[in-house]
Amino acid sequence: MTEAYDFQRVERHWQERWAAEGADRADQDPSREKYYTMVMLPYPSGDLHVGHAKNYTLGDAIARMMRMLGYNVLNPMGWDAFGLPAENAAIARGVDPGAWTAENIGNMRRQVRLMGTSYDWSREIATCEPEYYRWNQWLFLRLYEDGLAYKREAPVNWCPHDRTVLANEQVIDGRCWRCDHLVERRNLSQWFLKITAFADRLLAGLDRLPGWPERTKTMQRNWIGRSEGAQLWFGIEGLDDRIAVFTTRADTLYGATFLAIAPEHPVVAKLRAIVSPDDAAAIDAFAASLASKSELERTSLMEKQGRFTGAYAIHPLSREKVPIWVTNYVLADYGTGAVMGVPAHDERDFAFAKRYGLPIATVVVPAGAAPETPPERAFLDDGRLIASDDFSGMTSARARHAIVERLAGLGMGEAVANLRLRDWLVSRQRYWGTPIPIVYCESCGEVPLPDTALPVLLPAGAPLRGEGSPLAAIASFVQTTCPRCGAPARRETDTMDTFFESSWYYLRYLDPHCESAPWRREHADYWMNVDQYIGGAEHAVLHLLYSRFFYKFFHDRGWVHGSDEPFERLFHQGMLLSNGEKISKSRGNVIGIDKTAEANGVDAMRLFLLYVTPPEDTSDWTEEGIGGRVRFVNRAWRACVPLLERAATVSPRSLPPLANAGERALVRALHTAAKSAIDETLTRRFHYNATIARFDELVNAMTAALVSAPDAPATRYVVHAFPLVLAPFAPHLAEELWARLGHAGSVHRERYLEVDEALLAAEAITLVVQVNGKIRARIAAAPNLAEADAIALAEADPAVALQVCGRRVAKRIYVPDKLLNIVLA
């Protein structure tokens, strides 16, 4: 009787051996083609569940496949270890965030190893370590040198729960992306990175990424939001000043009946000086009412509101007076902070004008149509201009060009492109992050630290109360000396957004312990770009856009070469549910890695996660499903173990003699499974669910052969080759079988099974012959049948010949190896 498969012993044994041998270490080898694959580094939150395992299992199967296909594979792992959760946990538990993070990393590293993953642990990084974050500071200084890091006062997104600033991308539906609390707007002096300087290149680069999901590229294009239009200037009655507006519809300029500006616009202070005290007080009150409102609330959630300032702008062409309104829906840091209100041709302006009784002037109508008087709705399309002085009668397209040309000649406008993208706000009023390497001196002003002063270390014992900047409360940290003049100075007390360190970590993996640079050029020359990046679609804008920005900057500096895109291909795995519900502690449906490994085995878990659906789809964890994979592992074991001694006597690299159709079908099942694994890997579809379905068929055939032909060379060959095709997906079972076959080396260092295409070719096909759409014959034929040969076979068939005899053939429709339809006149 076959011994039972002790998955706990087998999996523990091989994991310990792999770790001791450093089996998955990657070294540069110019003689081999490299393959750099990585999953997005996790945040060390404490415990992993099977939802996390879906991502890591897919990435590991790809890495193992590519190694066995002969590639030199780099598959690293690290920890995105700075951030709010650690600081919040420290506040709630009264512990040090560094200790909390280190404990979580230790546990999660153990769990990731438990999954049977093949990471190169010699390259492990943790972004909270000074060895890593000194290079955050070094990169910040290089950005600062190039004018790409700068400080200015700006309205920012403030999370009152986490008491920190959020980037625009971190505000989702008006709420903090981490804690889901409503976000407010505040004015603070903040550090920004000038990502807008790279906007055109970020857009253009998307067209050179065919290996990225189209939806992700569309999201980035929309976030960057480049629009062609014109910037034009309205004068101000009573002031030697003017207000800039951007529009994509210069053809509607004569329909502007009001100017909408943000209450925070710099010109508002000047307007207060020329309007009545009552108007000035009303402007102040309106601005105060918006002080705590988030950007989303003002632009999307609130009813559109405004207040007439009492001041007027001067139309740049007609010279008519246009009332200036402060409104809640225009933002000072978006575009120019001012919008020309054209109610007849913009839905938002139409609603605003209706509410406040402002004029609605139609200046564009459909070709051949008369204007509605008064208009019942805004007309948004292009058309023919009316009531627009000498531009009347022009088409919208022609008028846009002509009006901008006229404005340019008057010095009142120019053609420009506008961006939705804004510069990346990187200041955070938190402790658990990278200190910004800037000091402030009364004599020298804002001073960057020299490289020799790095790293600026986080001080121990920070008072973590969740209020304000903890670093600002530590005098020994704040008080320093100016590196230029030696006078007393104070340190910057903000820390960096954690997306800073995750925007370049893929390069630190190449040289994780280098002390002279964040990475050495020769390592980047060999390994970059990342061939396959795997992670959640929730990072489509944030992390992925920032990483692309950084890499283009690195490319400009000459630190990397080749493409200026870091990730050649991108794959988003789907979510894993538990019995139809999202996995979460609050629902009480978390399925832990440890529990699953103990109850079912790691290989069964891996096979289930790869099998249940295509990896990009949402899948559902069920006890029935995992039970099916446990049975598969046991059936595979029982099909192999009784024959291992006999199987070891035949080579898995040479096809055996095939005595009958049954033996041929068995060997074909092996090669069919291998071909599926290879094709899914090299096409980058990664639909290993189809491959595992082929494994089911193969094990069924092996089980039958164990009874019917245990001594046949074909059976012994398949048993010997089986670990080679199974290894990337069930690595422990495959390694155990390979060792029992007498091999001293690891199956994971073997070449994958080479598929015999001739064996997979169909031995015969059935050609269906129709005459005028009715089936008249089914003819057995060799595959890859040429059309002329198919016609000859059909016409030689008596039943077909009887139908065609004496009649003219109008046409023939041939579907290769499937169908021939003869159409008679």
Side-chain angles (χ1 to χ4, degrees):
M1 183 175 179
T2 303
E3 64 178 292
Y5 180 52
D6 185 352
F7 65 82
Q8 290 182 340
R9 181 196 65 78
V10 168
E11 291 174 354
R12 181 172 57 253
H13 167 73
W14 288 113
Q15 287 171 17
E16 289 173 355
R17 181 164 169 180
W18 295 334
E21 294 177 351
D24 303 302
R25 186 183 178 97
D27 296 308
Q28 290 175 211
D29 182 354
S31 68
R32 298 170 63 199
E33 186 173 353
K34 68 90 179 179
Y35 189 79
Y36 185 2
T37 181
M38 53 185 282
V39 296
M40 294 181 182
L41 83 173
Y43 185 83
S45 55
D47 258 321
L48 296 175
H49 56 66
V50 292
H52 301 107
K54 178 177 180 178
N55 190 24
Y56 304 135
T57 298
L58 173 65
D60 188 64
I62 295 167
R64 290 185 181 277
M65 274 297 305
M66 293 301 287
R67 282 196 197 95
M68 295 186 75
L69 290 173
Y71 289 83
N72 187 22
V73 173
L74 174 58
N75 184 29
M77 174 54 72
W79 313 99
D80 189 9
F82 271 142
L84 286 173
E87 191 160 336
N88 289 342
I91 295 168
R93 297 172 174 84
V95 299
D96 176 70
W100 184 85
T101 300
E103 181 180 342
N104 288 347
I105 287 175
N107 183 55
M108 289 174 63
R109 183 192 299 115
R110 177 191 61 79
Q111 290 181 313
V112 170
R113 286 185 181 275
L114 184 62
M115 294 180 215
T117 50
S118 58
Y119 295 119
D120 181 351
W121 288 103
S122 71
R123 298 174 182 269
E124 180 183 14
I125 60 173
T127 61
C128 64
E129 295 294 335
E131 182 184 43
Y132 186 93
Y133 72 71
R134 75 172 282 197
W135 298 111
N136 285 341
Q137 295 167 346
W138 187 89
L139 290 170
F140 182 94
L141 292 172
R142 304 293 82 79
L143 289 159
Y144 185 87
E145 288 171 357
D146 282 12
L148 296 173
Y150 67 94
K151 194 172 191 181
R152 66 176 172 86
E153 185 167 293
V156 297
N157 304 305
W158 176 263
C159 176
H161 177 269
D162 288 333
R163 295 179 174 84
T164 193
V165 171
L166 303 175
N168 294 311
E169 296 88 341
Q170 293 169 317
V171 180
I172 301 172
D173 295 334
R175 295 179 178 272
C176 174
W177 74 296
R178 281 200 184 277
C179 70
D180 204 39
H181 199 281
L182 278 173
V183 170
E184 300 174 355
R185 297 287 283 178
R186 292 188 181 181
N187 277 323
L188 292 174
S189 183
Q190 302 288 298
W191 284 98
F192 291 83
L193 299 184
K194 201 170 184 179
I195 190 174
T196 53
F198 290 75
D200 288 344
R201 290 171 62 189
L202 289 167
L203 274 174
L206 293 170
D207 295 331
R208 301 193 304 274
L209 294 173
W212 279 43
E214 282 302 321
R215 183 170 179 269
T216 297
K217 292 193 287 186
T218 298
M219 289 173 70
Q220 289 209 4
R221 288 189 184 100
N222 292 342
W223 189 262
I224 296 168
R226 191 178 194 278
S227 53
E228 299 288 341
Q231 182 163 292
L232 45 113
W233 290 276
F234 283 73
I236 303 173
E237 186 181 49
L239 283 178
D240 185 17
D241 206 340
R242 55 187 189 174
I243 298 172
V245 301
F246 173 83
T247 181
T248 59
R249 293 294 306 273
D251 55 316
T252 66
L253 177 56
Y254 282 86
T257 61
F258 67 96
L259 216 58
I261 64 174
E264 306 87 358
H265 195 294
V267 80
V268 170
K270 299 177 182 179
L271 298 180
R272 290 179 73 262
I274 64 170
V275 300
S276 70
D278 288 346
D279 285 331
I283 293 171
D284 293 343
F286 184 75
S289 72
L290 301 176
S292 64
K293 303 301 181 184
S294 71
E295 180 176 315
L296 184 83
E297 286 179 288
R298 286 178 56 174
T299 57
S300 301
L301 303 181
M302 295 177 66
E303 187 177 21
K304 303 300 176 281
Q305 298 172 350
R307 173 64 168 82
F308 176 46
T309 62
Y312 291 87
I314 305 300
H315 193 283
L317 292 182
S318 72
R319 312 305 297 169
E320 294 179 353
K321 293 200 307 182
V322 179
I324 302 173
W325 285 65
V326 286
T327 66
N328 62 350
Y329 61 86
V330 180
L331 305 175
D333 59 342
Y334 182 72
T336 66
V339 174
M340 67 177 193
V342 186
H345 305 292
D346 182 276
E347 290 177 335
R348 182 183 62 184
D349 296 344
F350 185 88
F352 189 84
K354 282 287 190 181
R355 175 172 183 173
Y356 291 105
L358 297 170
I360 300 174
T362 299
V363 294
V364 179
V365 296
E372 292 180 349
T373 307
E376 295 183 1
R377 65 187 64 84
F379 176 67
L380 307 179
D381 297 333
D382 280 4
R384 174 179 58 85
L385 265 66
I386 63 171
S388 299
D389 290 345
D390 49 345
F391 302 101
S392 296
M394 291 185 182
T395 63
S396 287
R398 183 185 171 198
R400 279 194 286 271
H401 177 77
I403 288 173
V404 173
E405 194 174 64
R406 176 78 58 84
L407 289 167
L410 296 171
M412 297 298 290
E414 59 185 346
V416 297
N418 196 34
L419 298 172
R420 181 178 182 269
L421 178 70
R422 279 169 278 178
D423 284 342
W424 174 11
L425 191 158
V426 294
S427 287
R428 297 294 180 270
Q429 291 68 46
R430 280 296 189 178
Y431 168 74
W432 194 235
T434 300
I436 294 174
I438 299 289
V439 301
Y440 302 96
C441 171
E442 287 192 9
S443 300
C444 305
E446 182 181 283
V447 182
L449 289 174
D451 293 349
T452 54
L454 305 181
V456 178
L457 296 172
L458 279 174
L464 301 181
R465 295 185 293 270
E467 298 177 359
S469 170
L471 293 180
I474 305 175
S476 60
F477 175 81
V478 175
Q479 295 168 5
T480 186
T481 57
C482 175
R484 286 183 185 164
C485 70
R490 59 181 178 84
R491 291 190 190 276
E492 172 62 69
T493 57
D494 284 355
T495 54
M496 296 183 197
D497 179 9
T498 55
F499 279 107
F500 193 105
E501 54 251 27
S502 64
S503 295
W504 69 278
Y505 75 102
Y506 46 89
L507 283 157
R508 188 60 177 172
Y509 278 145
L510 310 184
D511 218 353
H513 308 298
C514 180
E515 296 182 356
S516 60
W519 66 89
R520 280 171 286 191
R521 169 68 185 266
E522 59 265 31
H523 296 307
D525 287 350
Y526 179 77
W527 288 113
M528 291 302 290
N529 299 11
V530 176
D531 295 281
Q532 185 66 62
Y533 199 25
I534 303 167
E538 67 271 18
H539 297 293
V541 171
L542 293 166
H543 161 61
L544 291 168
L545 187 65
Y546 296 156
S547 296
R548 295 180 60 228
F549 159 47
F550 267 37
Y551 201 74
K552 292 180 190 303
F553 171 67
F554 302 158
H555 193 275
D556 291 350
R557 279 284 190 138
W559 301 335
V560 294
H561 83 297
S563 170
D564 64 356
E565 291 289 342
F567 311 123
E568 190 71 20
R569 303 187 69 87
L570 175 68
F571 191 92
H572 295 313
Q573 84 282 358
M575 185 181 294
L576 182 71
L577 308 177
S578 175
N579 294 308
E581 291 188 331
K582 185 176 179 180
I583 296 175
S584 69
K585 292 181 181 178
S586 62
R587 289 185 172 89
N589 64 351
V590 171
I591 302 153
I593 298 294
D594 295 283
K595 179 180 177 182
T596 301
E598 181 180 355
N600 303 303
V602 171
D603 283 344
M605 178 187 73
R606 289 171 60 107
L607 289 165
F608 172 78
L609 293 170
L610 294 170
Y611 174 70
V612 64
T613 60
E616 68 271 23
D617 292 349
T618 297
S619 49
D620 199 3
W621 179 277
T622 64
E623 290 305 313
E624 180 183 359
I626 185 63
R629 292 304 98 193
V630 171
R631 290 191 294 274
F632 168 85
V633 169
N634 289 325
R635 288 173 56 239
W637 176 259
R638 292 193 298 268
C640 291
V641 168
L643 302 179
L644 291 176
E645 187 175 341
R646 282 171 279 183
T649 64
V650 301
S651 170
R653 301 299 183 183
S654 301
L655 280 179
L658 303 175
N660 53 53
E663 291 183 7
R664 187 174 183 85
L666 173 63
V667 176
R668 278 180 56 126
L670 173 73
H671 282 252
T672 298
K675 180 173 173 56
S676 174
I678 294 169
D679 288 350
E680 293 300 335
T681 302
L682 296 183
T683 61
R684 312 298 192 257
R685 288 201 324 155
F686 309 132
H687 285 190
Y688 295 133
N689 55 306
T691 300
I692 295 170
R694 303 289 83 78
F695 286 154
D696 285 342
E697 297 166 359
L698 172 59
V699 170
N700 287 340
M702 291 169 65
T703 301
L706 176 64
V707 176
S708 63
D711 291 318
T715 303
R716 289 183 284 155
Y717 163 78
V718 169
V719 169
H720 200 157
F722 179 62
L724 291 172
V725 299
L726 183 67
F729 311 101
H732 309 87
L733 174 59
E735 193 80 289
E736 180 72 11
L737 293 173
W738 192 249
R740 290 189 178 215
L741 282 160
H743 297 284
S746 171
V747 69
H748 301 292
R749 286 294 175 263
E750 295 289 328
R751 287 299 293 263
Y752 205 70
L753 183 69
E754 186 174 344
V755 174
D756 190 306
E757 296 289 348
L759 179 70
L760 297 181
E763 295 178 338
I765 57 99
T766 298
L767 179 67
V768 176
V769 182
Q770 297 178 334
V771 178
N772 287 343
K774 293 185 177 181
I775 297 174
R776 298 300 181 183
R778 289 183 171 87
I779 304 171
N784 303 314
L785 190 64
E787 184 172 359
D789 294 333
I791 292 169
L793 284 172
E795 291 179 345
D797 185 90
V800 176
L802 181 64
Q803 295 293 321
V804 175
C805 182
R807 301 178 65 181
R808 185 173 66 84
V809 176
K811 63 179 178 178
R812 298 178 179 88
I813 303 169
Y814 180 52
V815 180
D817 285 359
K818 293 184 178 180
L819 174 72
L820 175 66
N821 185 18
I822 301 172
V823 180
L824 303 177

